[in-house]
Amino acid sequence: MMPIEEAQGTATPVTGRPTHLLVAEDDPANRYAAVHYLRRRGYRVTECADGPDVLRQLVQDPADAVLLDLGLPGVDGLDILTTLRREQTTPVIICTARAAERDRITGLDLGADDYLVKPFSLPELESRIRAVLRRSRPVERIDHISADGLVIDRNERTVTVDGAPVELTRKEFDLLAFLATRPGHVHTRESILEQVWGSTEAWQNGSTVTEHVRRIRLKVEADPNHPRYITTVRGVGYRFERDPAAMRGVA
Ligand code: CA
């Protein structure tokens, strides 16, 4: 869909300015290893060793992505994430020793983009960074999406399936376009509410998302019970499939 940035690498994207990462980690050895590695790979890196410093830095010098240790002195990482998400959509990768599923779900629900459990390899960390940056950058530039017969025009705000126009409400369109511009990425209902609905009282109710997905499926899917565009990731949320054609006939 947009190979340009991949071809040029992520450390120095098309803007010509090095990608700015904020590494929040209180363990000096871990922090040094990550910071040193990422700088060698061409990133500009700001390092923080405690919670209050992270919040200060993010205001003074916003980052393109944040690597966030959950166990930080001063302010807990999950509280930092909550504060950050009130103001910014900066991609956040949680890097933590907390491996429990409950912690992972809490982190993702609070708006983290990815979750790495320590110990992890630095090349894997960099590949996760590239992935969250790919997902976060192209959004505003993708105006035309075409996936296995489904065509979305974000300028005209029109949708067609196999050439036939489909009538969607404003929110149905926004939700479909939001998911379709990030194919393969799983979104929790909470993060969808936050990003598609904004911070209103609709937030409180994840079934708003469920109902909108149901109505979109009725309008765009050949078989709404076996969707191939927006699929449900049980217990987590929804994903627009990277390859809807491969979903044909999947029961
Ligand atoms: Ca820590």
Side-chain angles (χ1 to χ4, degrees):
M1 193 148 36
M2 46 103 29
I4 300 161
E5 280 170 3
E6 276 198 277
Q8 302 208 350
T10 310
T12 308
V14 279
T15 56
R17 159 186 84 81
T19 298
H20 179 208
L21 303 175
L22 189 145
V23 175
E25 167 65 75
D26 60 322
D27 178 83
N30 281 347
R31 188 176 67 246
Y32 178 82
V35 168
H36 190 66
Y37 179 84
L38 293 167
R39 282 188 181 142
R40 267 202 338 256
R41 304 284 297 161
Y43 295 90
R44 179 160 79 88
V45 184
T46 300
E47 44 188 310
C48 295
D50 65 59
D53 195 28
V54 175
L55 293 172
R56 238 183 345 261
Q57 284 293 341
L58 284 171
V59 172
Q60 283 170 6
D61 188 10
D64 297 307
V66 177
L67 314 180
L68 183 63
D69 176 23
L70 288 189
L72 286 172
V75 183
D76 185 80
L78 290 176
D79 293 331
I80 292 174
L81 186 56
T82 308
T83 307
L84 174 70
R85 276 290 168 266
R86 269 186 227 129
E87 314 262 310
Q88 301 183 14
T89 55
T90 313
V92 174
I93 301 175
I94 290 177
C95 306
T96 180
R98 299 181 200 169
E101 187 189 23
R102 188 182 61 245
D103 290 324
R104 284 207 298 276
I105 290 173
T106 305
L108 293 170
D109 279 350
L110 287 174
D113 296 84
D114 204 350
Y115 200 103
L116 265 173
V117 175
K118 295 174 185 175
F120 49 80
S121 79
L122 293 169
E124 179 178 9
L125 172 64
E126 199 204 348
S127 118
R128 302 287 189 105
I129 292 168
R130 282 199 304 269
V132 297
L133 290 171
R134 269 201 303 277
R135 293 198 296 256
S136 72
R137 279 210 180 101
V139 174
E140 298 310 321
R141 295 202 305 248
I142 299 173
D143 294 325
H144 195 265
I145 300 155
S146 179
D148 193 32
L150 174 69
V151 176
I152 303 168
D153 185 324
R154 296 180 79 201
N155 285 329
E156 303 285 327
R157 293 183 66 86
T158 56
V159 174
T160 57
V161 174
D162 297 330
V166 175
E167 291 286 329
L168 295 179
T169 66
R170 191 168 58 86
K171 277 298 172 212
E172 286 165 3
F173 180 89
D174 290 344
L175 174 55
L176 176 63
F178 170 76
L179 295 172
T181 48
R182 298 161 182 82
H185 183 56
V186 182
H187 301 269
T188 64
R189 289 175 182 79
E190 288 73 12
S191 77
I192 291 170
L193 282 172
E194 184 183 329
Q195 299 195 54
V196 178
W197 270 262
S199 51
T200 67
E201 56 295 348
W203 253 68
Q204 309 301 325
N205 193 354
S207 64
T208 304
V209 177
T210 312
E211 177 58 18
H212 277 75
V213 169
R214 194 183 69 81
R215 284 191 249 142
I216 293 169
R217 283 174 176 161
L218 287 172
K219 294 177 180 180
V220 305
E221 297 282 358
D223 178 358
N225 291 322
H226 299 119
R228 65 179 203 269
Y229 299 113
I230 302 175
T231 56
T232 303
V233 181
R234 196 170 298 193
V236 184
Y238 297 102
R239 167 174 63 209
F240 192 92
E241 289 295 325
R242 270 187 209 286
D243 185 7
M247 302 297 292
R248 285 172 188 272
V250 176

